[in-house]
């Protein structure tokens, strides 16, 4: 029998989160940490002055209050820790202007010897620079975080360093990347990774940015978009690890071994035998565990002796280097930059030229391109001691690491003086620094990065959605995260995720569902790829986002049914549908009107508009509306794929346009009813499958939709516009109000529908719409032929008070209903 269920090597955020979650699940843990403290790359130093005990961070600083930072934000709140906003300006100023209360930020370009003041996004001066920044963000949005190898041109992007790419890119109409964009890219790498762009795989950069939700969240504080740098911990970032430590020790006083090092892991058999060295006495202990978690950066753990090392991770320590950083900060008598309204008077707010830009003072935030200090920022403590930090990173950190603290102090103060004037010298009180690359237990900060040509080699064996334990040994750190990789939030995400994997492993239950944010991002990618495939008339683009048995349900009718009957299956079926569609029409525009992802229901919707020309008739068609529905594979599978999709539209119109068939003659359906009379209930003679609004909304989760005090579900009233699926059995209409709803349902479809099964639904609060998908069965109104097909119902809710149903649209194969 093992001494503990799980031994964890490393007491950073990842290791401690995993330990705490495992304890909460009833497992015994032992956390072994070589340092005398917990926290890893979070490291808070303190000193006392007239403000009391002040907390300043040498390592990780920031957390955000947004989706991609949710793992760390939620953890901080769970632990009862206090945060305070990173200073951006006085923020207690009412608009106008719309950016009221925002202090001016500064950006210095060394090659120009020029400083720019700005508020909001960092937008290049030239059109080419602006386009390339947009292009970089678009490339990042095209990365599959759950399967980076499926990113377009993944091999090529991984084979290039970021500097290779920025030096070689040359797009028609814009030419080579301008110098300002090159400087911005170097600065982005140095701020985000603490290394030079020559050292980073281009694919890794894009993955890293995508894992944080894009360039804006990657860069912003709280304005104009809530980003990853919005808040700090009042007691410093290390207080997260300290709070976790207290929780863990309260559960088990023997659960943590500080100043002990894991020296050897014998995983030849289970339980795993771990050799632990007491750093005080050099004494050797052995601890056995059913599973082992190595919660360290690759550059740190690779030297560890493991009897059965994971071949998928061989050499990863060299492939994923740790960054070089000297963290410094300077304290002052006052935060004088906050009241400086005259040093910089003109600049840009989100790219728009603005006078008196520093009317609310300076934020203290300075980005320096091509300089030894890359980033200066207001670092005033929660206790009120004014300070600015300064990052020395990459090649500059290597160079200045060989110098003296006094010379580094002079260099840092020189940059601060250059940005904020001579008052720096009059106000300075102290200088502090920490060289992370002299810390042999961390070997760098803030995180590791893959060098060119290395990411794809290790992605499947390293990223936590696909990585497998080897000989009972797991590996996790912020570098393994699919969400906020490289941040404290990424470390927390990895701890949460790996603990679930270990629990499933120990319990014999197999895989666990992936993170919902990551899954939503991947689901959106799959939907967008299908849309892109249709737009480009290239079915091959779908190959990477559908399962081998993916069933595509075509719209139906005479033109768009499968000649073999039923669905089109797999990639061969997808190609067959494209060929059939291409023989019938030249689609000139395929526009997405709305797109909705619902992770909880494992499905997505997209409303589309199609325009083009029919090949057989020469007729043009414009804005023919359709609804696409997507169902995805099991959430426990590592890679998100579409398992079933369908396109629903007015097949009567499609047949008329594509084949030249005569339009259906609308049948006289419905009865004369008053607007207030029983329109949403089943009428006389209605079948058991009658579709009523109440039945349609029953049990649906309207999410965050505000019913504005309504006593019941949104209801149809006289203003509601209703569209049928088309054809003679249930014409498109439009119909109006409860009378119209009764006509199209109770006295229309309900007469021929024998059963209704709800397949799924999605509520989109942004669109105030409910999308419901049914499978309906019955017999054609005239033909008597059986039908078994999907029916999509879109319910558009009104804005404002007195919520009602503004629009209802039904889409199914109307031709089959005849």
């Amino acid at each position: 029998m093992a001494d503990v269920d799980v031994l964890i090597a490393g007491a950073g955020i990842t290791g401690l989160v995993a330990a705490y979650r495992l304890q909460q699940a009833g497992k015994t843990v032992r956390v072994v940490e070589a340092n005398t403290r917990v926290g890893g790359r979070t490291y808070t130093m303190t000193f006392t002055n007239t403000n009391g005990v002040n907390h300043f961070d040498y390592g990780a600083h920031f957390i955000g209050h947004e989706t991609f930072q949710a793992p760390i934000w939620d953890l901080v709140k769970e632990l009862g820790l206090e945060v305070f906003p990173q200073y951006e300006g006085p923020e207690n100023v009412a608009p106008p202007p719309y950016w009221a209360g925002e202090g001016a930020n500064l950006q210095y370009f060394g090659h120009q010897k020029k400083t720019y003041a700005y508020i909001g996004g960092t937008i290049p001066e030239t059109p080419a620079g602006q386009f390339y920044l947009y292009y970089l963000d678009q490339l990042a949005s095209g990365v599959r975080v759950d399967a980076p190898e499926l990113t377009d041109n993944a091999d090529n992007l991984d084979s290039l360093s970021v500097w290779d790419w920025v030096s070689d890119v040359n797009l028609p109409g814009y030419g080579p990347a301008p110098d300002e964009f090159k400087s911005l890219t170097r600065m982005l790498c140095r701020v985000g990774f603490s290394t030079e762009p020559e050292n980073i795989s281009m694919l890794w950069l894009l993955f890293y940015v995508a894992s944080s939700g894009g360039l804006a969240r990657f860069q912003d504080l709280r304005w104009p978009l809530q980003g990853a740098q919005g808040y700090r911990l009042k007691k410093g970032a290390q207080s997260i690890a300290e709070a976790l430590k207290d929780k863990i020790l309260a559960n088990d006083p023997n659960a943590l071994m500080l100043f002990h090092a894991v020296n050897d892991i014998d995983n030849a058999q289970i339980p795993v035998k771990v050799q632990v060295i007491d750093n005080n006495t050099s004494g050797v202990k052995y601890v056995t565990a059913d599973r082992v978690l190595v919660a360290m950066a690759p550059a740190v753990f690779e030297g560890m002796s493991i009897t059965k090392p994971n071949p998928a991770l061989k050499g990863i320590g060299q492939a994923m280097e740790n960054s070089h950083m000297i963290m410094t900060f300077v304290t002052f008598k006052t935060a004088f930059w906050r009241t400086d309204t005259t040093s910089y008077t003109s600049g840009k707010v989100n790219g728009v030229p603005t006078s008196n830009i520093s009317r609310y003072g300076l934020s203290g935030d300075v980005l320096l391109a091509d300089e030894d200090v890359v980033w200066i920022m207001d670092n005033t403590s929660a206790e009120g001691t004014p300070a600015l930090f300064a990052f020395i990173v990459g090649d500059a950190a290597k160079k200045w690491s060989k110098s003296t603290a006094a010379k580094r102090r002079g260099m840092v103060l020189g940059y601060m003086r250059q940005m904020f004037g001579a008052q720096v010298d009059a106000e300075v009180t102290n200088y502090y620094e920490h060289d992370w690359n002299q810390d042999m237990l961390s070997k760098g900060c803030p995180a590791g990065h893959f060098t060119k040509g290395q990411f794809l080699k290790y992605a499947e064996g390293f990223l936590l959605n696909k990585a497998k334990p080897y000989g009972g040994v797991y590996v996790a750190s912020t570098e393994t995260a699919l969400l906020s990789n490289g941040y404290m939030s990424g470390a927390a995400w990895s701890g949460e995720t790996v603990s679930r994997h270990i629990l499933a492993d120990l319990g014999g239950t197999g895989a666990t569902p992936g993170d919902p944010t990551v899954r939503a991002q991947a689901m959106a990618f799959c939907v967008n790829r299908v849309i892109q495939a249709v737009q480009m008339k290239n079915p091959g683009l779908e190959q990477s986002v559908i399962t081998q048995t993916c069933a595509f349900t075509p719209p139906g009718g005479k033109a768009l049914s499968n000649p073999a009957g039923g669905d089109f299956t797999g990639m061969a079926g997808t190609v067959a549908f494209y060929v059939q569609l291409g023989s019938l029409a030249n689609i000139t525009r395929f526009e997405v009107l709305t797109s909705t992802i619902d992770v909880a229901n494992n499905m997505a919707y997209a409303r589309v508009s199609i325009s083009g020309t029919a090949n057989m008739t020469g007729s043009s068609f414009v804005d023919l509306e359709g609804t696409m529905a997507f169902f995805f594979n099991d959430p426990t599978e590592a890679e998100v794929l579409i398992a079933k999709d369908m396109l629903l539209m007015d097949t009567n119109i499609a047949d008329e346009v594509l084949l030249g068939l005569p339009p259906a003659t609308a049948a006289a359906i419905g009865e004369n009813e008053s607007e207030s009379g029983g329109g949403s209930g089943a009428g006389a003679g209605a079948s058991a499958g009658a579709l009523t609004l109440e039945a349609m909304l029953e049990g649906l989760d309207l999410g965050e939709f505000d019913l504005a005090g309504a006593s019941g579900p949104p209801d149809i009233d006289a203003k509601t516009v209703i569209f049928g699926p088309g054809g003679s059995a249930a014409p498109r209409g439009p119909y109006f109000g409860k009378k119209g709803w009764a006509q199209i349902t109770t006295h229309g479809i309900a007469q021929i529908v024998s059963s209704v099964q709800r397949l799924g639904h999605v509520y989109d609060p942004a669109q105030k719409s409910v999308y419901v998908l049914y499978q309906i069965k019955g017999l054609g109104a005239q033909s008597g032929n059986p039908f078994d097909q999907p029916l999509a119902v879109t319910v558009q809710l009104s804005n404002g008070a007195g919520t009602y149903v503004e629009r209802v649209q039904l889409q199914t194969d109307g031709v089959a209903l005849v």
Side-chain angles (χ1 to χ4, degrees), residues 41-109:
R41 287 169 281 186
T42 62
Y43 180 20
T44 303
M45 64 87 70
T46 60
F47 62 75
T48 303
N49 61 13
T50 55
N51 291 322
V53 178
N54 286 261
H55 297 79
F56 285 94
D57 284 313
Y58 276 140
H61 275 65
F62 304 106
I63 66 173
H65 189 194
E66 51 90 26
T67 300
F68 291 81
Q69 288 278 309
I72 196 69
W73 184 270
D74 293 347
L75 176 66
V76 163
K77 294 305 176 184
E78 178 186 347
L79 295 173
L81 301 175
E82 293 185 84
V83 301
F84 67 107
Q86 173 61 33
Y87 185 76
E88 289 185 301
E91 297 187 348
N92 58 352
V93 182
Y98 68 93
W99 47 273
E102 292 296 315
N105 311 309
L106 304 177
Q107 192 164 283
Y108 177 76
F109 287 96

Side-chain angles (χ1 to χ4, degrees), residues 176-503:
D179 287 342
E180 66 165 343
F181 178 70
K182 291 182 178 179
S183 291
L184 277 172
T185 304
R186 182 173 293 279
M187 184 169 60
L188 174 71
C189 291
R190 299 182 77 222
V191 171
F193 298 90
S194 294
T195 193
E196 308 301 329
E198 290 87 348
N199 303 327
I200 306 170
S201 155
M202 183 62 187
L203 183 62
W204 177 251
L205 168 71
L206 298 176
F207 169 85
Y208 192 94
V209 171
S211 79
S212 293
L215 277 176
R217 283 190 171 90
F218 184 70
Q219 298 179 89
D220 286 353
L221 302 184
R222 292 181 314 288
W223 193 94
L225 181 72
Q226 166 60 227
Q229 283 80 229
Y231 297 84
R232 286 154 57 198
L233 279 295
K234 284 191 173 182
K235 300 299 183 184
Q238 194 181 339
S239 64
I240 301 171
E242 292 289 344
L244 286 166
K245 178 191 74 172
D246 293 344
K247 296 280 189 182
I248 291 166
L249 291 178
N251 290 329
D252 178 2
N254 299 313
L256 176 63
M257 301 171 69
L258 288 178
F259 211 45
H260 285 71
V262 171
N263 189 54
D264 179 83
I265 298 175
D266 182 358
N267 60 339
Q269 58 185 11
I270 306 292
V272 180
K273 185 177 182 182
V274 182
Q275 185 187 67
V276 178
I277 306 295
D278 186 329
N279 288 338
N280 281 308
T281 65
S282 298
V284 176
K285 301 176 183 178
Y286 290 93
V287 181
T288 57
D290 289 323
R291 299 294 184 272
V292 170
L293 168 61
V294 178
M296 304 175 184
V300 178
F301 75 68
E302 187 170 44
M304 189 179 292
S305 174
I306 302 178
T307 302
K308 288 174 55 180
N310 188 343
L313 301 181
K314 183 179 180 181
I316 194 172
Q318 287 74 43
M320 191 175 217
E321 299 175 350
N322 263 9
S323 300
H324 288 76
M325 182 175 76
I326 303 173
M327 169 61 74
T328 77
F329 69 92
V330 179
T331 56
F332 297 92
K333 297 173 187 176
T334 67
F336 58 90
W337 55 90
R338 295 185 178 185
T339 56
D340 183 354
T341 60
T342 59
S343 296
Y344 302 90
T345 56
S346 62
K348 293 184 177 181
V349 177
N350 284 334
V352 179
T354 305
S355 61
N356 196 17
I357 195 170
S358 61
R359 68 187 72 178
Y360 305 111
L362 303 178
S363 70
D365 191 354
V366 186
L367 295 172
L368 302 102
D370 310 311
E371 298 297 310
D372 286 351
V373 167
V374 69
W375 192 16
I376 298 171
M377 199 170 197
D378 189 308
N379 198 36
T380 300
S381 69
E383 296 80 14
T385 297
L388 294 168
F389 74 45
F391 279 15
I392 309 170
V393 303
D395 290 347
K398 295 177 186 178
K399 177 182 73 175
W400 283 99
S401 183
K402 300 172 185 176
S403 187
T404 64
K407 289 182 179 179
R408 287 189 290 269
R409 179 184 188 276
M411 182 267 290
V412 167
L413 287 174
Y415 279 109
M416 291 181 178
R417 187 184 308 114
Q418 180 180 341
M419 294 296 108
F420 300 115
Q423 200 168 353
V424 166
D425 295 318
E427 297 271 355
V428 65
T429 57
N430 278 300
Y431 167 83
Y432 302 86
E433 66 173 32
H434 183 73
D435 187 342
W436 278 95
N437 292 89
Q438 300 301 316
D439 183 343
M440 291 298 101
L441 296 178
S442 296
K443 296 184 179 179
C445 195
H449 55 273
F450 280 109
T451 55
K452 68 178 183 179
Q454 301 300 312
F455 180 25
L456 291 180
K457 186 185 300 184
Y458 293 100
E460 188 162 341
F462 186 61
L463 297 178
L464 272 185
N465 65 320
K466 294 186 179 182
K468 305 295 183 186
Y470 197 81
V473 177
Y474 289 77
V475 169
S477 63
T478 187
E479 289 86 355
T480 64
L482 275 66
L483 198 69
S484 292
N485 191 288
Y487 287 86
M488 286 189 285
S489 193
W493 184 92
S494 287
E496 299 275 3
T497 301
V498 78
S499 66
R500 292 197 300 269
H501 290 181
I502 292 172
L503 287 170

Side-chain angles (χ1 to χ4, degrees), residues 636-766:
T636 63
E637 296 184 33
E639 187 178 316
V640 176
L641 296 170
I642 296 169
K644 181 175 178 59
D645 60 333
M646 56 190 68
L647 172 61
L648 298 96
M649 59 196 307
D650 190 322
T651 51
N652 182 66
I653 293 178
D655 285 356
E656 179 185 345
V657 172
L658 298 178
L659 301 179
L661 297 178
T665 301
I669 63 173
E671 302 172 354
N672 292 325
E673 301 180 59
S674 68
E675 283 297 313
S676 59
S680 59
S687 76
L691 301 177
T692 67
L693 182 62
E694 286 83 356
M696 190 171 68
L697 292 180
E698 183 181 358
L700 296 185
D701 179 10
L702 296 182
E704 298 179 357
F705 181 71
D706 182 4
L707 297 180
S711 59
D715 200 3
I716 286 177
D717 72 5
K719 298 185 289 293
T720 304
V721 182
I722 302 147
F723 295 94
S728 60
R732 175 175 172 80
Y735 305 86
F736 299 93
K738 289 187 176 182
K739 175 182 176 181
W741 182 252
Q743 287 176 307
I744 196 66
T745 56
T746 307
H747 303 295
I749 292 180
Q751 297 296 321
I752 56 176
V753 171
S754 59
S755 71
V756 180
Q757 177 190 5
R758 194 171 75 213
L759 302 179
H761 71 275
V762 172
Y763 174 64
D764 185 342

Side-chain angles (χ1 to χ4, degrees), residues 104-125:
N105 311 309
L106 304 177
Q107 192 164 283
Y108 177 76
F109 287 96
H111 69 281
Q112 296 177 330
K113 305 297 182 186
K114 187 174 180 179
T115 304
Y116 297 88
Y118 73 97
I119 292 172
T122 54
I123 300 175
E125 293 290 311

Side-chain angles (χ1 to χ4, degrees), residues 570-602:
M571 195 59 210
T574 299
V575 172
F577 177 73
Y578 274 73
V579 170
Q580 180 175 326
L581 183 62
S583 69
L584 293 171
N586 176 30
I587 295 176
T588 56
R589 185 169 58 85
F590 190 85
E591 180 184 2
V592 179
L593 303 175
T594 62
S595 180
T596 305
I597 305 296
D598 191 307
V599 176
N601 289 297
N602 203 31

